[in-house]
Amino acid sequence: IKKVHCRCLLFANVEISDEDVVVAPYWSLAKMGLESFDLVSIENVSNVRKAEFIKVRANSSEYVYWDGLKETLEAEFSKINAISIGDLINVFGIEFYVIELRDPEGISMLDASLFNTDVRIDFDTPSDIVEAERREKEEIARIEDQRRIIAEKALAEKKRLEEEEERKRNPY
């Protein structure tokens, strides 16, 4: 069961004959991992605290070249009413993965409201850089393993030659 917070700002007068039907935008369905006509359980939660701090990790480091990065992201985040750890927020083709939320007192949160709030955004190292660093560390470890193996073989060969030389000097 997946738990997702969202906020309804407007109840429209939609002609639906069944009172158990919810009409939701596609992005909302995607966030919840739903398709049209899936069954859901809805619960009214009115005590979702406001976030003051969000930490995100982008799937690409391309965003660092954006003009007005802070303003762009703040504008995009201001469109989001409710957010949870693990949410993916797509901004101009770059996905920002929410990894941390904190309230004004600095207390960590799993879910938060962004409705009518200013939020500070912090950035973790983008996934593409983390992956490149991981590959570099693996390559360094591979090279160090090869060096260790070569050194061990050389030491074993030296020892073998010394033992062979000793046998030639002392055949008995």
Side-chain angles (χ1 to χ4, degrees):
I1 296 175
K2 184 174 182 179
K3 182 179 171 182
V4 177
H5 285 84
C6 51
R7 184 179 188 118
C8 180
L9 297 178
L10 174 67
F11 288 94
N13 186 7
V14 179
E15 290 189 28
I16 298 175
S17 60
D18 188 352
E19 65 182 33
D20 294 331
V21 173
V22 174
V23 178
Y26 177 75
W27 66 264
S28 178
L29 294 176
K31 177 180 177 179
M32 294 183 278
L34 298 172
E35 295 182 19
S36 294
F37 304 106
D38 280 352
L39 296 176
V40 296
S41 174
I42 297 176
E43 180 181 333
N44 182 14
V45 179
S46 58
N47 61 348
V48 178
R49 297 176 296 164
K50 290 189 177 197
E52 182 181 88
F53 173 84
I54 298 176
K55 188 169 190 174
V56 295
R57 177 183 302 126
N59 66 339
S60 170
S61 55
E62 297 275 328
Y63 73 92
V64 299
Y65 302 108
W66 291 351
D67 287 333
L69 169 64
K70 183 175 169 63
E71 295 79 14
T72 300
L73 289 177
E74 285 175 351
E76 290 299 314
F77 276 74
S78 72
K79 297 176 186 175
I80 300 168
N81 293 308
I83 196 166
S84 301
I85 297 287
D87 281 356
L88 285 176
I89 300 155
N90 191 309
V91 180
F92 304 126
I94 295 180
E95 291 183 334
F96 291 89
Y97 180 71
V98 178
I99 58 174
E100 188 177 346
L101 294 168
R102 288 193 210 146
D103 69 7
E105 289 79 37
I107 298 170
S108 293
M109 310 164 66
L110 293 175
D111 307 291
S113 170
L114 298 182
F115 186 67
N116 284 340
T117 188
D118 289 326
V119 68
R120 291 182 300 120
I121 301 171
D122 190 22
F123 301 94
D124 197 22
T125 306
S127 297
D128 59 345
I129 292 175
V130 169
E131 181 62 22
E133 289 172 350
R134 183 191 61 77
R135 283 193 306 267
E136 183 179 343
K137 286 178 184 176
E138 286 176 353
E139 181 65 14
I140 290 169
R142 187 184 65 75
I143 291 169
E144 287 174 353
D145 282 347
Q146 286 178 338
R147 286 180 179 165
R148 182 185 49 76
I149 290 168
I150 290 169
E152 287 172 356
K153 285 181 179 179
L155 186 61
E157 181 65 14
K158 179 182 176 187
K159 185 176 179 180
R160 186 188 67 76
L161 291 173
E162 287 172 350
E163 289 172 353
E164 190 176 302
E165 188 64 34
E166 182 63 28
R167 270 183 281 169
K168 285 180 183 175
R169 276 188 252 140
N170 298 318
Y172 302 106

